[in-house]
Every structure is written in structure tokens, then in C-alpha cells.
Amino acid sequence: MSVKTVATKPYLDQAPGTSGLRKKVPHFQQPNYVENFVQSIFDSLEGFAGKTLVVGGDGRYFNRETIQTVVKMAAANGFGRLVVGKGGILSTPAASALIRSLGAFGGLILSASHNPGGPDGDFGIKYNIGNGGPAPEKITNAIFARTRTIDAYRIVEAPDVDLDKLGQTRLGAMTVEIVDPVADYRKLMERLFDFAAIRAMFANGFTMRFDAMSAVTGPYAKAILEGALGAAPGTVINGEPLPDFGGHHPDPNLVHAKHLYDLAMSADAPDICAASDGDGDRNLVIGRGMFVTPSDSLAMIAANAHLAPGYAKGISGVARSMPTSAAADRVAAKMGVSAYETPTGWKFFGNLLDADLVTICGEESAGTGSNHVREKDGLWAVLMWLNIVAARKQSVADIVRAHWASYGRNYYSRHDYEEVDAAGANALMGSLRERLPTLKGRRFGALTVAEADDFAYHDPVDGSDSARQGVRLIFADGARIVYRLSGTGTAGATLRVYIERYEPDASKQEIETQTALADLVALSRSIVGIEQHTGRAEPSVIT
Ligand code: G1P
Ligand code: ZN
């Protein structure tokens, strides 16, 4: 087996974003584009000779080709063992679980999450470290720096590995192991949740619809929900991972999973409707007649986690990304555990979880998870809700209303202005940042700005600082508008505007969300001139 060193030239646009490097498939298909990035990752790491690397992806178009490249480059760079999910499949949380259970050096996850797939869709490569979580900024910055100077990569000349055959083969000095992508993950879920109680609930007629969106969670959901838990056959729909996700947008939000919302609000709604995204880390949970916002879900999971056997001892703390509503903070305060507010992106939770400062984490963008892995975990969140419902013997809607009654309700919505002109979006953020000192104390109708700042985070574990993480306008009554630009888009810029208002009065907790937030929504547009800067009078997606 010969190791080749191939000369290459840098691409200058390989900056990892909120969650790894994401580009359109044709962009990744440029000569040496994948090889440059993978070699830059390896060049930024130390001490992996002879160690284990986990590789897998969400099955999207270009997944298999990239895995073959990674396998051959890992062998050439000196890894001792490479573990791949059969068919190249590993959901993001399952990859994280596998890295942890194998004590692997790290892993490469191939996905563009909830973005569309296919020959013209999106693709992505993300490096996760030995704790199973996304590489921290120190490493992603080093990778980016390396991509700008790289002049060669190493690869072995060998035939492709058969990704569909379980078992071990050798590639030079490296062992290649094809494993069942579900087995390890299912065992982990069995340890965390009361499968017997959930199984009994299904046996007693509890009904569910889970939409795997033709993405990676199909095999996991079928094995766990219909297999281990006895949910009726057909509970899982769109359960086959397809390279183009059936032409759909595998984002379990109220736009792309509207059919589930409609079903949940209909006369023949199942007890629970749920979905996960392209790579299996996001979740959507809708009870019969009741949508649970991700921010609320985080708070409610924190308040009820002790009902699941894996969390029976209680939780050490809760972390949420800054734009996520403060609902979870109220739960933490009442429980007497700490609450952390981090920048957007799961990578900021890793240190807090490793140091056991928090047990449960979440983001408003449909991400919830815990210390069982170092990624958000879609199916985990759904199983947690099933466990809570089974233990409390109440409907999702009743659990949500009881929570609001005791903690108050945080009305919450995110307005996205997608794929707008990048220059306009940058100008909007730039002028908002400049005006920050002048905004404090200003009145806009009934709303007075109490605080206006650009969120900065100091990591209490490693002491690192992350500045410019999103502009916050906090009003005197506690309401909030947050502005930031997406770090995951692949075309133009996406402006995200997060709007929140707290309502403690139980008699005012059943207002339709956009109505409850209408004055803040109007102000969110006028105060920064969204239409002038982006040409958009309305957002493209409201969640
Ligand atoms: C988005 C979400 C963020 C999440 C990330 C990866 O990032 O807003 O919460 O961590 O996807 O799933 P953004 O595009 O806003 O940078
Ligand atoms: Zn995802």
C-alpha cells in the first residue's frame, strides 16, 4: 500500500462556521477541496498516531464519496483504526455517542444538518474532539489558518472500502471497522429512559407520528420507537434516508414540517407528533393541539428530567444559547441550580458539560440535549418527552399549561430574513452596533430600551472569550429583541431576529404568539431599518 503526497493549492474560503464547513455540493466537488480541508484538520491535531477516528454522515449526496476520501487519508496520516457507520450512516448524536464509548481520538461528521441535499444541495464536514463534541474555536481557527497555507495532502492508493458490509478490514496499518450505526445509540437510550413505562403506554393505545424527513433518523426511530418501544407500525414516516431527502428541506420547523403541525391540530391528532432533521440532532415536539416551542421544551425538560431514570439524581445546571428564551432560567432558579447563557452553537456547551456544571442544554433552534453526548439530540428529546408523559400520565398540552401556570410563559418567536444581500445585512448589523450606546434609555411607544449590548461570552472553564455574538435590546419590562447573522448559511446572508416577552399572568397565556409579540415585531423591523437594508418587508420564515 503506497502513501502518496499530492501537491495542492489553498482555497481561501474554508472557514468553519457555527457548525463546521458548509458549502454547496458542487463547491465541495472542486479538485482537492475535500482533501485540503481534511488534511488541514489532521494537520491541526496532535498525537493521533495509532488512535481511533469515527466517521459517518447523514447519508446526503456526496456522503459516500467523501467517506472514501477520509478513509484513505486517515490511513495515510497514521490513524490506527477508523470506525464507520454501515452505509456511511451515523446521526450526529450517534457519532458523538460512538466517539465517547470507543474512547476515540475524534470524529468527522459529514452533514449540512437541516439544509437541503442532492447534487445542488448543501454538504458539510465537521470535526468533533474526543469528548464527542464539536471542536472548540481554538481548533477550528487553527484548521482555518492551515487551509490558507496548505500545499500538500497525504492519501493511500487503494480500492474503495465496502461501506455496506459489517466487519473489519485493513487498509495498510489501519483497521477499518464498519459498525451498526444504531446499536450503540439504542443501548444508551435504554439506559437513560424508562423503556418499560413507555412501552406500556404504547400498549395502552398511546399514538404517535414521527417524521424522519427521509433523513438519518429513520433507522434509529424505527428500531427504537417501533422496535424496542412497540409503537404501532407506520408510526415512523419517511423512514428511509435518501441522498436528497426526497427533495424536501429536512428542517423540522413549522414551515417544513407544517403537515405535522396540521395533523397535531386536527380532529384525529395522535397523542404526540415529532420530527428530527437531516442529521438527527434537532427535534420538533407537538402534543395534540399544543406546539411546544424549543425554548419551552428546554425549560420543561429541565423541570421534569428527574422522571427519567438516567437523570433521577437531578440535574447540575442548565445552559441555553443567548437567543433562546429565558424560560429555562426560571426553572434553574426555582431548582437552585445554575443557569448559563452561551453564544449560539452547540460547541459552547461542551466545556460546561465536561465540567459537570450543567446536565441539560438547549437552543431555540430546535436543539435540546444533555450530558449523555456532546451534541444536541433529536430522538433523545422525543424520548424524554415520551418518558415525561408516561411518568406524569398527563397529555403534552396539560404539562405545558401546568408549566406556564407555575413559571409564567415566555412568548417567543424567531423571524428569519433568509438569503438577503450580504452587504446590506452587514451594514444593518454595523450601524446597529454603532448606535448601541445611544439606544439605552430611549423610548419607542410603550417600550423603553433598558439595555443594549453586543453579547460577549467568557467561558468559565477554559477562560476563553468570544465577542460580537449578537446584539441584544432588552426592554424595561424584560421583553427582548436579539439580532444576529447566521453562521451556517451557504448563500448570501441570513438575518435572524429573536423576539421574546414574559407573561406571568395565567389568564394571558393563551394568546396567539405573533399577536402577543406584535408591537415588538413591528419595532424589530423599524428600529434597525430591515427593509431599507435588505429590501425585505417581511421575514421569509417565522418559527
Ligand atoms: C443555526 C442555529 C444554531 C445552531 C446551528 C447548528 O446556526 O441558529 O442555534 O446551533 O444552526 O445547528 P446559525 O445559522 O444561526 O448560525
Ligand atoms: Zn442538525
Side-chain angles (χ1 to χ4, degrees):
M1 180 110 3
S2 68
V3 175
K4 260 197 323 184
T5 300
V6 183
T8 187
K9 287 206 178 66
Y11 285 93
L12 300 180
D13 65 351
Q14 297 194 315
T18 312
S19 193
L21 180 67
R22 288 202 193 152
K23 302 280 176 202
K24 298 272 176 220
V25 168
H27 204 94
F28 267 105
Q29 288 169 325
Q30 296 175 86
N32 296 345
Y33 198 83
V34 167
E35 288 83 348
N36 276 17
F37 192 66
V38 171
Q39 187 64 51
S40 297
I41 294 173
F42 294 160
D43 288 350
S44 308
L45 306 173
E46 266 170 34
F48 57 77
K51 303 250 169 83
T52 302
L53 183 73
V54 170
V55 184
D58 60 14
R60 68 177 59 226
Y61 189 87
F62 207 46
N63 192 45
R64 285 174 176 265
E65 292 84 341
T66 306
I67 289 180
Q68 296 295 349
T69 307
V70 169
V71 170
K72 291 169 195 173
M73 289 184 65
N77 278 274
F79 277 94
R81 178 185 178 207
L82 188 121
V83 179
V84 196
K86 183 168 178 250
I89 292 285
L90 276 178
S91 78
T92 293
S96 184
L98 201 55
I99 293 169
R100 294 170 67 77
S101 70
L102 296 174
F105 185 85
L108 285 174
I109 301 180
L110 312 179
S111 166
S113 187
H114 49 287
N115 293 1
D120 298 312
D122 287 355
F123 190 74
I125 304 180
K126 180 168 80 154
Y127 178 68
N128 280 29
I129 58 175
N131 74 353
E137 279 189 331
K138 201 174 84 186
I139 296 180
T140 54
N141 289 341
I143 294 170
F144 181 45
R146 182 63 188 142
T147 61
R148 299 175 71 91
T149 59
I150 188 165
D151 57 9
Y153 65 87
R154 285 185 294 287
I155 192 160
V156 297
E157 282 185 311
D160 281 359
V161 170
D162 183 354
L163 297 176
D164 298 306
K165 205 167 126 222
L166 291 174
Q168 290 191 6
T169 48
R170 286 195 79 79
L171 196 62
M174 187 178 84
T175 307
V176 180
E177 217 174 302
I178 311 292
V179 300
D180 177 345
V182 179
D184 216 58
Y185 180 84
R186 180 172 56 196
K187 277 190 215 125
L188 177 58
M189 294 301 117
E190 279 168 4
R191 284 203 298 280
L192 297 177
F193 299 114
D194 189 346
F195 271 38
I198 303 173
R199 206 180 300 123
M201 183 170 80
F202 277 119
N204 285 328
F206 186 85
T207 54
M208 177 173 194
R209 173 78 52 91
F210 181 92
D211 190 346
M213 306 191 91
S214 305
V216 80
T217 38
Y220 297 85
K222 278 198 225 161
I224 295 174
L225 298 174
E226 294 183 13
L229 294 171
T235 295
V236 177
I237 59 167
N238 299 316
E240 290 303 321
L242 300 175
D244 67 347
F245 308 121
H248 298 301
H249 199 131
D251 192 348
N253 64 21
L254 296 183
V255 177
H256 301 295
K258 184 165 184 303
H259 56 282
L260 265 193
Y261 181 85
D262 293 343
L263 175 67
M265 300 302 149
S266 73
D268 8 272
D271 292 300
I272 200 165
C273 290
S276 189
D277 72 329
D279 63 329
D281 58 357
R282 295 187 175 200
N283 75 86
L284 172 73
V285 171
I286 319 179
R288 181 183 291 142
M290 175 64 79
F291 165 61
V292 189
T293 71
S295 292
D296 272 353
S297 183
L298 171 65
M300 293 164 193
I301 285 175
N304 291 285
H306 62 277
L307 300 173
Y311 307 87
K313 290 200 200 97
I315 60 174
S316 60
V318 187
R320 63 167 172 87
S321 66
M322 179 275 283
T324 304
S325 97
D329 302 17
R330 297 180 185 280
V331 174
K334 202 162 182 175
M335 293 173 87
V337 300
S338 38
Y340 292 85
E341 188 177 28
T342 58
T344 294
W346 208 262
K347 62 187 171 205
F348 294 100
F349 295 138
N351 282 343
L352 300 174
L353 290 164
D354 284 351
D356 198 26
L357 294 173
V358 303
T359 307
I360 305 285
C361 310
E363 295 196 89
E364 50 66 40
S365 51
T368 334
S370 86
N371 59 357
H372 69 292
V373 288
R374 293 295 180 271
E375 291 278 3
K376 54 189 179 259
D377 189 342
L379 208 45
W380 172 90
V382 173
L383 292 168
M384 178 62 99
W385 268 99
L386 289 174
N387 196 137
I388 294 169
V389 168
R392 291 182 55 139
K393 303 194 187 331
Q394 281 178 303
S395 68
V396 170
D398 287 347
I399 293 168
V400 169
R401 291 202 173 93
H403 187 99
W404 289 341
S406 76
Y407 294 93
R409 174 173 182 185
N410 288 69
Y411 282 105
Y412 187 86
S413 184
R414 185 175 99 187
H415 289 208
D416 290 333
Y417 299 77
E418 293 180 320
E419 296 190 17
V420 298
D421 172 51
N426 286 323
L428 181 153
M429 291 302 292
S431 79
L432 175 58
R433 286 190 159 108
E434 264 170 36
R435 283 167 60 211
L436 280 177
T438 67
L439 286 173
K440 191 172 164 170
R442 275 193 58 188
R443 284 190 61 143
F444 298 89
L447 294 160
T448 304
V449 180
E451 291 295 337
D453 69 2
D454 195 348
F455 181 64
Y457 179 63
H458 179 74
D459 186 309
V461 179
D462 68 13
S464 62
D465 288 289
S466 305
R468 295 166 66 87
Q469 296 294 322
V471 170
R472 304 189 283 193
L473 304 183
I474 301 169
F475 297 90
D477 65 353
R480 203 173 68 140
I481 304 175
V482 174
Y483 299 86
R484 59 179 284 282
L485 297 184
S486 158
T488 57
T490 55
T494 290
L495 171 67
R496 302 203 195 284
V497 185
Y498 310 80
I499 301 142
E500 174 180 2
R501 161 171 285 139
Y502 179 60
E503 180 50 75
D505 183 345
S507 71
K508 295 184 188 152
Q509 290 173 349
E510 299 279 345
I511 305 168
E512 191 275 321
T513 300
Q514 300 306 319
T515 310
L517 299 173
D519 56 338
L520 287 161
V521 167
L523 184 61
S524 76
R525 296 176 189 175
S526 61
I527 200 169
V528 297
I530 292 182
E531 189 168 1
Q532 292 90 298
H533 282 107
T534 68
R536 301 273 179 85
E538 300 276 334
S540 36
V541 178
I542 295 180
T543 48

